[in-house]
Amino acid sequence: MEPPTVAETLADDRGLTAAGVAERVAAGQTNAFVADTSRSAWNIVRANVFTLFNGIVGACFLVLLLLGRWQDALFGVAALSNAVIGCVQEFRAKAALDRLALLNAPRARVRRDGVDAEIAPAEVVRDDLLVVRAGDQVPADAVVVETRALQIDESMLTGESDAVDKRPGDEALSGSIVVAGEGTARVTRVGAESYANAFASEAKRFQLVSSELRTSIDRVLRWVGWGIGPIGLLVLNAQMMVAGGWVQAWQQGTWSQAVVNTIAALTAMIPLGFVLMTSIAFAVGAARLAGKKVLVNELPAVEGLARVDIICLDKTGTLTAGEIRFDAALEMQPADGWRDVLAWYGAADDANATAQCLREPFAVAVPLTVTQRIPFSSARKWSAVSFAGAAAGTWVLGAPEMVFGDTAADAASELGAAVTRLASSGRRTLVLAHAADALDDADVAAERLPAGATPVAVLTFVEAVRPDAAEALAYFREQGVAVRVISGDNPRTVAAIAREVGLEVDEGYDARALPDDDVELGRILEEHTVFGRVTPDQKRRMVSALQARGHVVAMTGDGVNDALAIKTADIGIAMNSGAAATKAVARLVLLDGRFSHLPSVVAEGRQVIANIERVSMLFLTKTVYATGLAVLFGALVMEFPFLPRQLSITDGLTIGIPAFFLALLPNTQRYVPGFLRRSLSFAIPAGLVIAVALTLYTRAAMALGLSVEQLRTGATIILAIVAIWVLTVLSRPVTRVKVLVIGAMFIALTAIFTIPPLGQFFQLQDPGEDGAWLVTGVVIVAVGAIEVVRFAHRRFVRRMLGMPAATAGASGQSVGDGAPAEGVARRK
């Protein structure tokens, strides 16, 4: 028998045959596409290795090797180690994230040989017949074949914010989201040819989240990059002049020492570990969250967690367990066949979670014949279907207020009294209504409610409140994170659930009364906590209104009706049990759906950014004093007081190694805007103190007649002790772990200065009695000046944040010693 041709495998109602699928797989017409689920390996290597400053360090390293001064090239080994550590940390985080992303990839629904099946999106082939329903993400480009009120949101691809009605012959783009209705579509483009893959859909690619932290770091690096060239020439000229002038230095061979001194000045200016520590902190934070079953789709999103000051929660699946159970049916008016209608709703292929609860209490007894149908939409919050035969007419199932308007909320009416009483008990309510007339094509096209509908029964459903919800919400209250509950359910039902989990609310706000003006909407959101009957577009508007008032907003949810708001929020958080559309646009996915993870998610973000701020002060202080020394010694034409190997001591033991530990320590401070300004307000004066102290010391040491080796040793001692003091200041309050880190660094420094072989390698020499007294005096003055800088910095930060002095040490974290204290009023 001849195998079927391509044409024979295309039956619109049954989909491809097995032979047709095999033929396309053999031809390579599959949807397989290798795309990074997180940052690519090349991007990791490039970010950690191929940088401007690594290039400068590499060039300096090679120059020293060519001069035979390998002892002074230790900074090259340190820079290489930093790059390797950074790559390893990010690769480990990438492996964990990619593994989780693979395990939790969405599924595609196809019809083959007349049978619907769920497969991996990569297994979809050209000409497959996709079966799409509300909440699905279209896996490949397709043309709509059949539709029942199908609406698709293509905003991630086209920028068009409104959902688009799809009719037979219309195109459905890969990566778009089905928000209402259902239908079938024939696949036309797969793999790399599809729209989403060709243009790297924003829902699936790694991208740097726009943030103050990233912007600030880039700005500092840009400043240093611009300054290295002219400052390097200034220092080189000074060192050559100290060596006897350019001509004499070249003739006598003393130019090599001038080059070494210049390299020492330049490498000290480069904040190599600054970017490294930021990358490591992000990667480790994401890896820690992965260990808690939280998938981070974008690593820098960890930073955004620290800035969140308001979190919007969808009730279902967040405050409640998401497991809805049918409770009871209160019959309002007698109507034949209403139980059979509920059985049909429960058995429908596209039944949502609420409708599926009807399958057990209302088993199918009499098959019903559908003549017209308007599928459920989360925007309308109702669905309608017309039957022929015993259940003739049109039946509507939906939210009472959306079907009967204000009547359903008026306690004076029979329906309103029942709905109000049941919703106030925390039950979720739906109404089943009946109209004598059947839907016509115009009704379906306009998605119009039938005229003359009367309530037949009020259905109630109950949801189990998450046992950990109250504890999580209490954490947010303590941390100064405001909570807004926004749900599509009855406001009274939502308010009852909110009270059960510890929120102090009287009645929920009915979103149907929300104003169209965004400014007024923002004011209402500040005054109220619980909102019911919220449409998907309103959820998005509410998030935008809060952002316009200066809030950093996190949004959690699990339904397709939450997808737009989750995408709009600064940090979108989806439950893994939610719709594929919701997970596709979220930056974080709670893989086990546990609401109790949210506090640890926020805490992880706060730890990352608060520690990065603390660490940044270390690196910026070093950059400032190194730049100050280069400028001062260049302008005063003085020999630079350090060898590169000596600066490696202070760089490693007072900044590099301790910064690694500080970046990973617990820290719960909420981030407040002004990161760079706060950091520089400490780093600039502290760095200038160190630069001026070393300059004055050098002048005094030269006047006392100390040898070059003695002068360098004294300068190294001063820098080491004062830098350790800066480390201690920035580590306050000093915990046991911090004492161990600082103590270990001090012991290592002491060993370098006292063990003869190490002293010989680093060219350290006893500065003598006069030198010792001079070093002691300079250290005491410099340490005292650092304490003055710290005190002034704390006052500056308090004024900057509008804080009274009494709150400076809230939660044990001194303002100015790293991150801002908790309880700080939000800046608007």
Side-chain angles (χ1 to χ4, degrees):
M1 179 180 294
E2 292 293 328
T5 65
V6 172
E8 292 172 336
T9 64
L10 293 173
D12 281 354
D13 57 341
R14 294 181 56 81
L16 289 175
T17 64
V21 173
E23 183 180 339
R24 286 158 180 78
V25 171
Q29 298 176 343
T30 71
N31 202 38
F33 179 75
V34 179
D36 289 316
T37 50
S38 62
R39 200 173 187 182
S40 70
W42 168 245
N43 281 338
I44 291 175
V45 172
R46 183 176 60 185
N48 286 280
V49 178
F50 299 103
T51 66
L52 169 65
F53 295 122
N54 276 351
I56 295 173
V57 169
C60 293
F61 180 80
L62 290 176
V63 169
L64 290 176
L65 290 183
L66 292 174
L67 293 176
R69 298 288 292 268
W70 63 269
Q71 302 93 333
D72 286 314
L74 294 178
F75 62 85
V77 177
L80 178 62
S81 301
N82 284 345
V84 171
I85 292 172
C87 289
V88 169
Q89 289 285 1
E90 289 207 51
F91 275 127
R92 290 179 61 184
K94 172 182 167 59
L97 297 178
D98 287 354
R99 186 166 54 251
L100 289 176
L102 182 63
L103 291 174
N104 293 275
R107 306 287 287 175
R109 192 181 301 104
V110 298
R111 182 172 298 160
R112 293 174 176 174
D113 287 321
V115 178
D116 293 355
E118 288 191 354
I119 61 175
E123 297 175 8
V124 172
V125 300
R126 191 190 303 273
D127 299 321
D128 249 330
L129 190 64
L130 300 175
V131 180
V132 292
R133 299 169 185 159
D136 290 347
Q137 186 174 34
V138 181
D141 294 350
V143 173
V144 176
V145 174
E146 180 187 8
T147 173
R148 287 183 292 279
L150 181 65
Q151 290 184 326
I152 294 182
D153 172 31
E154 299 175 338
S155 59
M156 287 188 298
L157 305 173
T158 65
E160 175 62 44
S161 59
D162 296 329
V164 180
D165 292 315
K166 294 294 183 180
R167 294 175 174 80
D170 290 346
E171 188 173 35
L173 298 177
S174 55
S176 58
I177 296 164
V178 181
V179 295
E182 62 178 348
T184 57
R186 178 76 60 192
V187 174
T188 57
R189 291 189 297 270
V190 292
E193 297 178 357
S194 67
Y195 190 94
N197 291 333
F199 289 92
S201 169
E202 70 174 82
K204 293 193 173 185
R205 72 167 184 260
F206 174 88
Q207 61 183 21
L208 292 179
V209 178
S210 177
S211 69
E212 182 187 5
L213 182 60
R214 287 281 185 183
T215 302
S216 299
I217 292 175
D218 291 342
R219 189 180 306 164
V220 170
L221 296 179
R222 191 161 54 248
W223 291 341
V224 176
W226 279 106
I228 274 185
I231 292 175
L233 291 175
L234 177 66
V235 174
L236 179 59
N237 179 70
Q239 302 311 299
M240 294 295 279
M241 297 304 293
V242 169
W246 286 80
V247 175
Q248 186 175 347
W250 182 262
Q251 292 175 345
Q252 296 181 356
T254 55
W255 61 270
S256 60
Q257 185 59 51
V259 172
V260 171
N261 291 345
T262 303
I263 288 176
L266 292 182
T267 54
M269 290 173 56
I270 300 174
L272 283 173
F274 196 12
V275 178
L276 172 72
M277 288 303 157
T278 303
S279 298
I280 288 178
F282 282 155
V284 171
R288 282 176 174 168
L289 290 175
K292 298 174 183 177
K293 299 297 182 182
V294 178
L295 173 61
V296 182
N297 285 333
E298 300 175 28
L299 288 183
V302 176
E303 173 199 342
L305 297 171
R307 300 159 52 207
V308 168
D309 63 358
I310 190 164
I311 184 168
C312 298
L313 310 172
D314 177 52
K315 174 183 69 68
T316 305
T318 305
L319 296 182
T320 61
E323 298 175 359
I324 305 171
R325 178 173 55 83
F326 175 75
D327 177 50
L330 175 63
E331 190 170 1
M332 304 296 298
Q333 296 182 17
D336 294 336
W338 67 274
R339 292 181 178 275
D340 294 328
V341 170
L342 290 179
W344 180 90
Y345 267 109
D349 290 337
D350 62 343
N352 58 24
T354 305
Q356 290 175 14
C357 297
L358 301 173
R359 291 177 178 176
E360 184 175 343
F362 300 97
V364 176
V366 179
L368 299 177
T369 303
V370 178
T371 58
Q372 291 283 8
R373 182 185 177 201
I374 302 176
F376 176 80
S377 163
S378 56
R380 294 190 311 270
K381 301 190 185 302
W382 57 264
S383 62
V385 58
S386 296
F387 298 106
T394 299
W395 297 83
V396 180
L397 181 65
E401 295 89 345
M402 308 304 283
V403 177
F404 290 101
D406 293 337
T407 302
D410 184 3
S413 68
E414 182 183 5
L415 174 63
V419 170
T420 301
R421 174 175 55 83
L422 294 170
S424 298
S425 67
R427 290 175 171 82
R428 190 174 183 178
T429 59
L430 291 180
V431 65
L432 178 67
H434 179 258
D437 295 333
L439 295 170
D440 56 26
D441 292 339
D443 293 328
V444 174
E447 298 182 359
R448 186 166 52 223
L449 276 169
T454 57
V456 174
V458 175
L459 312 178
T460 56
F461 303 82
V462 292
E463 300 175 76
V465 175
R466 289 184 180 273
D468 51 0
E471 182 180 352
L473 291 177
Y475 168 85
F476 289 130
R477 282 196 301 272
E478 294 170 1
Q479 298 297 314
V481 178
V483 174
R484 296 293 180 270
V485 182
I486 52 180
S487 173
D489 284 347
N490 186 297
R492 290 186 175 88
T493 302
V494 184
I497 296 294
R499 286 192 293 270
E500 191 173 343
V501 295
L503 293 178
E504 297 179 2
V505 294
D506 294 327
E507 295 293 334
Y509 193 100
D510 194 325
R512 293 175 298 167
L514 287 174
D516 294 330
D517 180 67
D518 288 342
V519 175
E520 182 65 15
L521 174 61
R523 184 189 63 79
I524 292 174
L525 286 166
E526 295 281 9
E527 297 175 356
H528 297 271
T529 302
V530 173
F531 298 84
R533 295 300 176 218
V534 186
T535 66
D537 188 62
Q538 282 180 318
K539 287 186 178 183
R540 177 171 58 179
R541 283 188 59 223
M542 294 167 85
V543 170
S544 297
L546 289 170
Q547 291 171 325
R549 294 179 70 87
H551 291 284
V552 179
V553 183
M555 172 73 197
T556 71
D558 66 345
V560 66
N561 59 321
D562 302 315
L564 296 178
I566 285 177
K567 178 190 170 190
T568 304
D570 296 282
I571 297 296
I573 304 173
M575 302 294 177
N576 194 44
S577 58
T582 308
K583 292 186 287 184
V585 298
R587 286 178 175 155
L588 301 170
V589 180
L590 303 182
L591 296 178
D592 57 4
R594 292 179 57 187
F595 183 64
S596 58
H597 284 324
L598 283 182
S600 61
V601 166
V602 173
E604 189 66 46
R606 290 185 171 185
Q607 171 178 320
V608 167
I609 197 167
N611 285 337
I612 287 176
E613 181 165 340
R614 190 200 311 271
V615 166
S616 75
M617 293 187 189
L618 275 177
F619 285 104
L620 291 177
T621 299
K622 175 213 169 186
T623 297
V624 171
Y625 75 64
T627 304
L629 282 173
V631 172
L632 287 172
F633 278 73
L636 297 175
V637 192
M638 296 166 55
E639 185 171 4
F640 199 71
F642 299 102
L643 293 173
R645 72 187 78 175
Q646 293 166 344
L647 286 175
S648 297
I649 299 173
T650 55
D651 284 356
L653 297 182
T654 67
I655 299 175
I657 297 175
F660 180 83
F661 290 99
L662 290 179
L664 304 179
L665 288 177
N667 199 324
T668 60
Q669 311 309 314
R670 184 168 71 83
Y671 177 72
V672 178
F675 155 76
L676 185 59
R677 190 179 177 191
R678 283 194 304 273
S679 297
L680 290 178
S681 66
F682 176 85
I684 290 177
L688 290 177
V689 164
I690 296 173
V692 171
L694 287 169
T695 303
L696 294 176
Y697 159 78
T698 303
R699 283 290 195 189
M702 292 169 63
L704 290 174
L706 297 184
S707 67
V708 173
E709 291 75 14
Q710 289 177 317
L711 186 151
R712 288 173 178 163
T713 301
T716 306
I717 293 173
I718 293 171
L719 182 57
I721 295 176
V722 177
I724 282 284
W725 195 262
V726 170
L727 172 64
T728 305
V729 164
L730 295 179
S731 298
R732 295 173 183 166
V734 181
T735 61
R736 183 178 301 175
V737 174
K738 294 174 185 175
V739 168
L740 290 175
V741 173
I742 296 171
M745 298 303 102
F746 190 81
I747 291 172
L749 284 171
T750 303
I752 289 174
F753 283 104
T754 55
I755 298 176
L758 292 177
Q760 292 172 6
F761 178 82
F762 289 104
Q763 293 193 12
L764 301 174
Q765 192 177 106
D766 186 351
E769 185 176 351
D770 291 340
W773 281 109
L774 178 59
V775 167
T776 302
V778 172
V779 166
I780 292 173
V781 173
V783 166
I786 293 295
E787 285 296 326
V788 172
V789 168
R790 169 183 172 270
F791 176 78
H793 178 249
R794 294 181 64 192
R795 292 179 63 87
F796 168 79
V797 172
R798 284 198 296 270
R799 288 197 303 271
M800 179 180 172
L801 301 178
M803 290 175 56
T807 64
S811 303
Q813 173 71 50
S814 299
V815 174
D817 299 335
E822 290 178 21
V824 176
R826 183 180 62 257
R827 297 180 69 219
K828 303 232 180 123

